[in-house]
Amino acid sequence: MELFVEWLNDVLWSSPIIYLSLGIGVLFSIMTRFLQLRLIKDMVSQLFSGKSSDAGISSFQAMSVALSGRVGTGNIAGTATAIAFGGPGAIFWMWAIAFLGASTAYVESTLAQIYKVKQDGQYRGGPAYYIEKGMGKKWYAVIFAVASAIAMSLLMPGVQANSIAMGLDNAFGLSTLITGIIIVLLLGFIIFGGIKRIAKAAQLIVPFMAIGYVLVSLIVIAFNITELPAILALIFKSAFGFDAAFGGIIGMAISWGVKRGIYSNEAGQGSGAHAAGAAEVSHPAKQGLVQAFSVYIDTLVVCSATAFMIIITGMYNTVRPDNTFIVKRLGDVEPGPIYTQAAVETVLPGFGAGFVAIALFFFAFTTIMAYYYIAETNIAYLTRGRDGRLAMFVVKIVLLAASFYGSVKTAKVAWDLGDIGLGIMVWLNLIAILILYKPAMLALKDYEQQRKEGKDPVFDPEKIGIKNADFWESEDFDKRDVS
């Protein structure tokens, strides 16, 4: 079984998906005239302008839910794994995919808003909805919905839970069995409360955990500030094969940087689009810009915090493809949160391991919450017009069981399963948005035109030639009442 998992993982994450992810990011960046640079001010202003309603959540809550999915174990354990197998140069490629991925996140999140629906009193949106309504390919939408529901409820929660268990065991000697039980109990309480409870929990936890984590990273960097120029030089030289030690693994640097970058910020995966579709906004581009900004927070801020702590303190190992070591400074330990814990311990002995374990708990726990919401949204798509309560209940139980299993299983199996789930979603979604990007571009042009005219943009799909945006043409969207 493990051999099959490794083989499938290698197929899904072969060179084509790496270059497709980068290529689509470049394409969308050019077509949006690099909105990730031009419209940063709008990204921030729109972040706090939306408001929640009975059917939808606010822009900030939607970003918090999306960030709870993005800011997870990928930021701590995933960044460490990228350094372990790709060297410091992998961090540059994580930055590259984040910069380019911001435009990808804009496209998929705007599409989710354009083609969202009001279903059972709640807004629902995401790839399955925009594939069916935008592309007219229901069979493809069903495949994505099934793949996403399986990936998010069964394959990916174990990665997050495994990292929580590893961190708490390393810091406090807490049994992985006990950790698994705690995760299941807390998670069950939140996910049985629906999207409103998930959004409220994310809104409280995500900003607090991200700010606290970055502040500690700044302390570690400050204590090693004289090393910072050399570390930056090492990252850039390693990324392009110019460093003597890491020059031989440039391919691994690109591969692991892109893979872990996508895993962390989820741009192109389509997962952030689900939360975007639930937001209450007057124009789809508003939420697209907010979600683009969340990619920056995830990778350029939180992942960078982890990377700088690990590299500047030298607390990492890097191996070649043949499993020989280029750098070995931590002994025979599995890549993961232990790298980050060791880094913080060099400056704050007795504090680092515990702090990182707690940070990882919040990071990964909120990610599992977001996974549930994504799985729920796809189940809602698959059960439209029918009673989906039993299916929703089954998904909850499967996700809780997968989280418990991941807590007590080895890291390699958990990561491989998670990578398979991610790979399937990325392949399906990237192809869809490559075909379907035009409505997102029309929405951006319309948004910018209305802003130039001094208006608060309000969306009228008929006016700009977008079809099948039924919600925006229905009585559910009263243009007079939405600001």
Side-chain angles (χ1 to χ4, degrees):
M1 179 62 183
E2 289 189 18
L3 289 175
F4 173 75
V5 168
E6 287 183 16
W7 171 82
L8 184 56
N9 199 4
D10 289 341
V11 170
L12 288 170
W13 286 102
S14 55
S15 297
I17 193 64
I18 304 299
Y19 296 119
L20 182 62
S21 299
L22 289 169
I24 287 178
V26 171
L27 174 65
F28 290 162
S29 295
I30 294 171
M31 298 197 71
T32 61
R33 294 181 295 124
F34 290 90
L35 67 80
Q36 58 265 63
L37 292 177
R38 291 191 304 111
L39 299 178
I40 288 179
K41 184 178 178 181
D42 288 61
M43 292 177 189
V44 177
S45 65
Q46 294 301 336
L47 178 60
F48 301 103
S49 65
K51 58 186 180 182
S52 62
S53 67
D54 291 338
I57 57 180
S58 71
S59 288
F60 184 77
Q61 286 178 323
M63 190 199 73
S64 295
V65 173
L67 265 178
S68 66
R70 290 189 166 110
V71 179
T73 190
N75 297 82
I76 299 179
T79 302
T81 307
I83 294 169
F85 298 111
I91 303 308
F92 171 85
W93 295 105
M94 289 183 74
W95 293 338
I97 200 64
F99 176 74
L100 298 173
S103 64
T104 307
Y106 163 79
V107 170
E108 63 187 6
S109 297
T110 300
L111 288 173
Q113 270 288 327
I114 291 172
Y115 296 109
K116 73 181 180 182
V117 301
K118 189 175 182 182
Q119 183 178 336
D120 300 324
Q122 291 185 25
Y123 295 150
R124 298 283 189 184
Y129 292 90
Y130 59 67
I131 289 169
E132 178 182 339
K133 293 165 72 68
M135 290 174 60
K137 306 294 184 184
K138 186 173 182 179
W139 62 269
Y140 193 12
V142 169
I143 291 174
F144 182 91
V146 171
S148 297
I150 294 172
M152 290 297 173
S153 64
L154 180 63
L155 299 179
M156 297 182 71
V159 175
Q160 309 296 329
N162 182 266
S163 292
I164 292 173
M166 283 179 61
L168 292 176
D169 182 34
N170 184 58
F172 307 114
L174 187 64
S175 163
T176 56
L177 178 64
I178 299 298
T179 299
I181 293 171
I182 292 171
I183 291 171
V184 168
L185 292 176
L186 291 176
L187 193 60
F189 171 75
I190 292 173
I191 66 175
F192 275 93
I195 179 58
K196 293 289 186 180
R197 188 176 292 175
I198 292 171
K200 287 177 181 178
Q203 180 178 280
L204 290 172
I205 296 171
V206 171
F208 166 77
M209 70 182 187
I211 291 170
Y213 187 74
V214 170
L215 285 175
V216 170
S217 75
L218 291 175
I219 293 172
V220 174
I221 293 167
F223 270 82
N224 297 275
I225 195 67
T226 57
E227 300 295 324
L228 188 57
I231 293 307
L232 286 169
L234 177 63
I235 290 172
F236 282 94
K237 287 194 295 183
S238 301
F240 295 97
F242 297 138
D243 182 80
F246 299 101
I249 59 167
I250 180 173
M252 299 296 288
I254 297 172
S255 175
W256 279 95
V258 172
K259 181 160 66 170
R260 286 289 165 254
I262 294 173
Y263 200 104
S264 176
N265 64 55
E266 300 183 354
Q269 181 182 338
S271 52
H274 295 84
E280 180 74 84
V281 291
S282 66
H283 197 288
K286 290 183 175 182
Q287 196 59 34
L289 292 171
V290 169
Q291 298 299 343
F293 187 67
S294 73
V295 172
Y296 283 170
I297 296 173
D298 171 85
T299 306
L300 299 185
V301 177
V302 184
C303 281
S304 293
T306 300
F308 281 123
M309 282 193 289
I310 291 172
I311 299 172
I312 208 166
T313 59
M315 292 293 103
Y316 64 95
N317 300 332
T318 299
V319 298
R320 299 181 181 89
D322 63 1
N323 290 322
T324 60
F325 285 92
I326 299 173
V327 173
K328 188 177 183 181
R329 294 172 183 153
L330 281 178
D332 295 320
V333 299
E334 265 193 293
I338 291 174
Y339 283 23
T340 316
Q341 289 172 321
V344 179
E345 284 286 334
T346 63
V347 172
L348 300 168
F351 172 79
F355 170 78
V356 173
I358 293 169
L360 185 58
F361 176 85
F362 284 116
F363 280 30
F365 183 81
T366 54
T367 297
I368 303 174
M369 287 185 345
Y371 286 172
Y372 169 71
Y373 174 67
I374 295 165
E376 179 189 273
T377 299
N378 285 284
I379 292 297
Y381 170 82
L382 293 168
T383 59
R384 285 175 304 171
R386 300 188 297 277
D387 187 349
R389 286 178 293 181
L390 177 60
M392 296 290 190
F393 179 78
V394 170
V395 166
K396 289 181 175 74
I397 298 303
V398 168
L399 181 133
L400 292 174
S403 299
F404 181 79
Y405 179 79
S407 300
V408 298
K409 195 63 178 172
T410 62
K412 188 177 188 314
V413 172
W415 275 105
D416 284 346
L417 288 173
D419 281 343
I420 288 172
L422 175 63
I424 293 170
M425 291 181 66
V426 171
W427 268 109
L428 293 172
N429 188 59
L430 284 179
I431 293 170
I433 61 176
L434 187 58
I435 295 170
L436 193 58
Y437 68 87
K438 288 183 179 178
M441 301 302 165
L442 291 172
L444 179 62
K445 184 179 179 180
D446 180 58
Y447 168 85
E448 292 195 83
Q449 181 61 41
Q450 291 191 53
R451 290 281 287 170
K452 285 180 183 178
E453 295 170 359
K455 300 176 182 177
D456 180 17
V458 175
F459 189 55
D460 183 348
E462 287 187 1
K463 182 180 177 182
I464 59 176
I466 295 177
K467 299 178 180 179
N468 297 326
D470 303 329
F471 166 81
W472 299 94
E473 300 168 2
S474 69
E475 293 180 3
D476 286 322
F477 179 67
D478 187 338
K479 296 179 175 63
R480 295 167 298 177
D481 296 332
V482 178
S483 60

